Amino acid sequence: MGYYYGTLAFICLFILVIVPVTGRLLLRLLRGQEKKKWWVYLITLMTFLIISFHNSAFPLFRDLPNALREDTVTTEGVIETVYFPGGDNGFTIEGTEYRRNPWQFKPEEGKRYRLSYLPHSKYVIDYWLIE
């Protein structure tokens, strides 16, 4: 659960840095203190940030109440694909992608696991190898 909270804290820190910088740029553009070409940069940055937030941060924030209550969903299945560590540290079971802590859980393809995970982000909290 520490990896989940660490990722959430990192995202919050990133937001706390990006929002004021972007807001300052927007204000300077509206006042005419910056060159007009910065509008292209700002629109591109905002598009990228909105898409990134929706795909990676929003599910983590939606799972915060579940994480605090330790309210998880359980499933089991055979691991089909394990993605290269980094990014969301994902793997696939029966067509559904899950996230994991790469230092705690190193799933092996072809083995059957029972997972306890957060419902929105599909972040794995606990796991058991089923023989």
Side-chain angles (χ1 to χ4, degrees):
M1 194 69 105
Y3 189 81
Y4 167 79
Y5 289 122
T7 304
L8 200 60
F10 178 76
I11 289 170
C12 288
L13 180 66
F14 182 75
I15 290 170
L16 287 174
V17 170
I18 289 296
V19 168
V21 170
T22 306
R24 181 175 178 267
L25 177 60
L26 179 62
L27 286 175
R28 289 180 59 87
L29 281 166
L30 292 173
R31 292 179 185 159
Q33 297 171 337
E34 292 290 340
K35 295 180 182 175
K36 299 228 184 252
K37 67 181 179 181
W38 281 99
W39 279 108
V40 174
Y41 171 76
L42 185 65
I43 291 169
T44 305
L45 177 67
M46 292 307 297
T47 303
F48 173 75
L49 289 176
I50 289 169
I51 292 170
S52 296
F53 183 80
H54 181 268
N55 291 338
S56 61
F58 186 63
L60 291 173
F61 282 107
R62 285 183 63 199
D63 272 336
L64 188 56
N66 297 76
L68 293 173
R69 289 190 313 264
E70 295 185 13
D71 182 22
T72 60
V73 178
T74 304
T75 189
E76 69 178 59
V78 176
I79 298 206
E80 298 169 353
T81 308
V82 178
Y83 301 111
F84 185 76
D88 65 358
N89 296 305
F91 63 95
T92 305
I93 292 182
E94 297 175 3
T96 305
E97 289 189 23
Y98 298 91
R99 296 178 179 188
R100 66 190 166 93
N101 177 342
W103 296 291
Q104 180 187 30
F105 179 34
K106 297 184 185 335
E108 297 178 33
E109 292 179 5
K111 294 202 175 180
R112 187 170 194 78
Y113 288 90
R114 179 176 296 130
L115 306 175
S116 177
Y117 64 93
L118 296 171
H120 301 291
S121 64
K122 304 242 185 317
Y123 178 79
V124 174
I125 302 299
D126 208 355
Y127 64 95
W128 302 271
L129 178 63
I130 299 174
E131 302 281 335

